[in-house]
Amino acid sequence: MKSDRLTFIGAAIVLTLACAPLASWAQADPSWLKSWNEAQQSRPQAMTPNGRIAKESEPGRPMVILGQVFGAKGKPAEGVVVHAYHRDNKGFDFGLNDDALTTWRLQGWARTGADGRFQFQTIRPAADHMGREGAHIHFTLETSDFGRQWAPKVFLADDPLVTTDQRRRSTEAGKFGWVREVETQDGVQQIRVKFQLKNSADF
């Protein structure tokens, strides 16, 4: 009888955890959250679908990120605030010492248009300077209805540090895959990304 009761309690706990909102489980790393909060100081009051991450004077190969955000039901999402950041062309987040700043040095903001589209002018990021991870770009999406959400990190398909498993999982995600092919037009590299909003916030 006691065993049956424990089994029932255990099942109830599992069911409760399974039904808990995703937002209640999302735990932002404290150092990341500190950088995010400081990033708000650079958030422009007015945003358009066209943003910039790296200044024109930033060393590195020019790159354009062409993106589109979809709602949970698959329709283009208008008015989504998109924040993006990435490493510089030497693989550092904050600068050569990686500790001179507490927020990301190369970051930008945009707001999707009626078709859900946005774009960023920037440079191609380098892989982590310690060789821990391939070159990638971070994205955070924010809406009035679904709060702030982390989008998948976007990796560059021609980077040899992108793993076989990352490529496989990206392919399984279809059009929302996060390992993206790099195209070149007139000397400028570009990638195309698509994100889908979740039904609840991450942080």
Side-chain angles (χ1 to χ4, degrees):
M1 188 75 173
K2 183 178 180 181
S3 177
D4 291 342
R5 182 177 299 176
L6 291 175
T7 299
F8 174 78
I9 292 173
I13 291 173
V14 170
L15 180 61
T16 300
L17 297 181
C19 295
L22 177 63
S24 68
W25 289 100
Q27 297 292 325
D29 176 76
S31 61
W32 183 92
L33 195 57
K34 180 178 180 180
S35 295
W36 168 262
N37 288 332
E38 186 173 326
Q40 303 310 304
Q41 298 177 20
S42 68
R43 178 176 179 144
Q45 292 185 347
M47 284 177 264
T48 71
N50 300 313
R52 176 172 283 279
I53 298 174
K55 296 179 180 179
E56 291 187 54
S57 59
E58 180 71 24
R61 185 164 188 175
M63 173 173 275
V64 177
I65 302 167
L66 302 171
Q68 189 172 22
V69 180
F70 295 84
K73 296 183 179 179
K75 295 183 179 180
E78 180 180 7
V80 178
V81 174
V82 183
H83 175 262
Y85 69 92
H86 60 68
R87 298 179 186 273
D88 61 22
N89 72 332
K90 296 184 181 297
F92 292 92
D93 272 329
F94 305 111
L96 291 180
N97 295 323
D98 239 6
D99 60 0
L101 303 173
T102 56
T103 192
W104 309 286
R105 190 173 69 83
L106 302 181
Q107 61 176 309
W109 302 82
R111 187 186 299 273
T112 61
D115 55 2
R117 296 185 185 278
F118 68 91
Q119 74 173 42
F120 284 108
Q121 305 287 332
T122 189
I123 61 163
R124 178 182 174 123
D128 169 42
H129 67 283
M130 297 181 68
R132 296 168 295 188
E133 196 172 22
H136 59 273
I137 304 148
H138 295 262
F139 293 90
T140 303
L141 311 176
E142 183 177 344
T143 73
S144 57
D145 293 332
F146 304 114
R148 298 172 303 195
Q149 306 183 5
W150 291 302
K153 288 190 292 187
V154 172
F155 289 82
L156 310 180
D158 60 358
D159 189 324
L161 288 178
V162 179
T163 68
T164 300
D165 184 60
Q166 287 173 322
R167 296 177 192 275
R168 177 187 58 78
R169 290 186 290 114
S170 175
T171 298
E172 290 174 353
K175 70 177 183 179
F176 297 115
W178 52 88
V179 178
R180 309 307 302 174
E181 295 294 333
V182 180
E183 304 171 9
T184 302
Q185 293 186 4
D186 299 325
V188 177
Q189 293 192 343
Q190 67 177 34
I191 58 172
R192 300 177 184 274
V193 300
K194 294 182 185 294
F195 300 126
Q196 186 166 33
L197 292 169
K198 292 165 282 192
N199 286 321
S200 58
D202 286 326
F203 68 102

